[in-house]
Amino acid sequence: MAPSKKGAVRGKRSNQHVERNYAERLHDLSIQSSEESEESTENSDDEAVPPSFAISMWDLNHCDPKKCSGRKLSRHNLIKNLKLGQRFPGLVLSPVGTQCVSPNDKEIIEKFGLAVIDCSWAKIDETPFGRMKSAHPRLLPFLVAANPINYGKPYQLSCVEALAAAMFITGHRKEASFYLSKFSWGHSFLELNSEVLDIYSSCSDSKSVVEAQNKFLQSVQSEKDTRSMWPSSSDSETDSEEVENQEKS
């Protein structure tokens, strides 16, 4: 899941029409990216390298094990499972974070690692965040999911997407590509969010990332008069179902 307080950093409710428009715009881009999938996959493999820092997660067992990206990473020994009550010294992607991930967090991740809390928004109120402690809890800014379950939805990132986003923003692009390369749809996440990820990674601290996010959403809002140019949300949902079926096969 994406640690964004389901809107986090934010004004999510007031920007829902903006986010929907952007999601539809990303759907259009995904069609183009699928036509170049073989070339994109080859390029991402060349640029992908495993991280030299620790990657961990708290798994609350809220997700379907067959669809959970965190579980898949665990099966490939690419993530370490943490126990409730265990403190993590590095940066933790968490809905209770008070700051946004920024390039300024690069040193924290390189020294102490990166972790994510794998829980469901539907069970957010019963999630024991107090038992998953870190000195560096962080939120993620506006991003759109490419995973088959929440394709095209703002903020609804899978564990691997959340981890990759944090890596990318903090200057670990090759490491982000490495983790996403383990999923057939992984390359789409970076492609769909390439513009805004580049913007976030060029910022300095949490405040500037939030300002960049708000400015970006405002620019998307200015395009609302041309919304009819983009595919409908029903088309996006259909595409998501097709991708999910391919993932299961």
Side-chain angles (χ1 to χ4, degrees), residues 28-83:
D28 186 53
L29 293 176
S30 72
I31 296 176
Q32 178 181 353
S33 67
S34 64
E35 294 175 350
E36 303 170 350
S37 59
E38 292 186 4
E39 180 179 354
S40 298
T41 301
E42 291 177 0
N43 291 339
S44 62
D45 288 342
D46 291 339
E47 298 173 356
V49 298
S52 59
F53 45 84
I55 302 293
S56 303
M57 75 170 176
W58 283 279
D59 185 357
L60 279 297
N61 298 311
H62 291 174
C63 304
D64 182 339
K66 296 180 180 179
K67 300 178 181 179
C68 180
S69 64
R71 294 284 185 89
K72 181 172 181 177
L73 292 178
S74 181
R75 291 194 297 271
H76 287 274
N77 296 315
L78 294 175
I79 198 166
K80 177 182 177 181
N81 286 300
L82 300 171
K83 297 180 180 180

Side-chain angles (χ1 to χ4, degrees), residues 60-151:
L60 279 297
N61 298 311
H62 291 174
C63 304
D64 182 339
K66 296 180 180 179
K67 300 178 181 179
C68 180
S69 64
R71 294 284 185 89
K72 181 172 181 177
L73 292 178
S74 181
R75 291 194 297 271
H76 287 274
N77 296 315
L78 294 175
I79 198 166
K80 177 182 177 181
N81 286 300
L82 300 171
K83 297 180 180 180
L84 287 178
Q86 184 175 352
R87 187 179 183 85
F88 186 74
L91 187 147
V92 174
L93 300 172
S94 168
V96 297
T98 57
Q99 297 182 47
C100 187
V101 173
S102 74
N104 199 37
D105 293 317
K106 181 176 183 179
E107 186 175 350
I108 294 174
I109 291 178
E110 290 179 345
K111 283 188 175 183
F112 306 110
L114 173 65
V116 65
I117 297 175
D118 185 5
C119 63
S120 169
W121 288 117
K123 299 182 179 181
I124 201 76
D125 292 334
E126 58 190 75
T127 302
F129 292 108
R131 300 182 64 189
M132 297 174 282
K133 296 181 178 180
S134 168
H136 312 287
R138 295 289 189 271
L139 299 164
L140 283 171
F142 174 83
L143 291 163
V144 175
N147 68 77
I149 305 303
N150 294 306
Y151 179 83

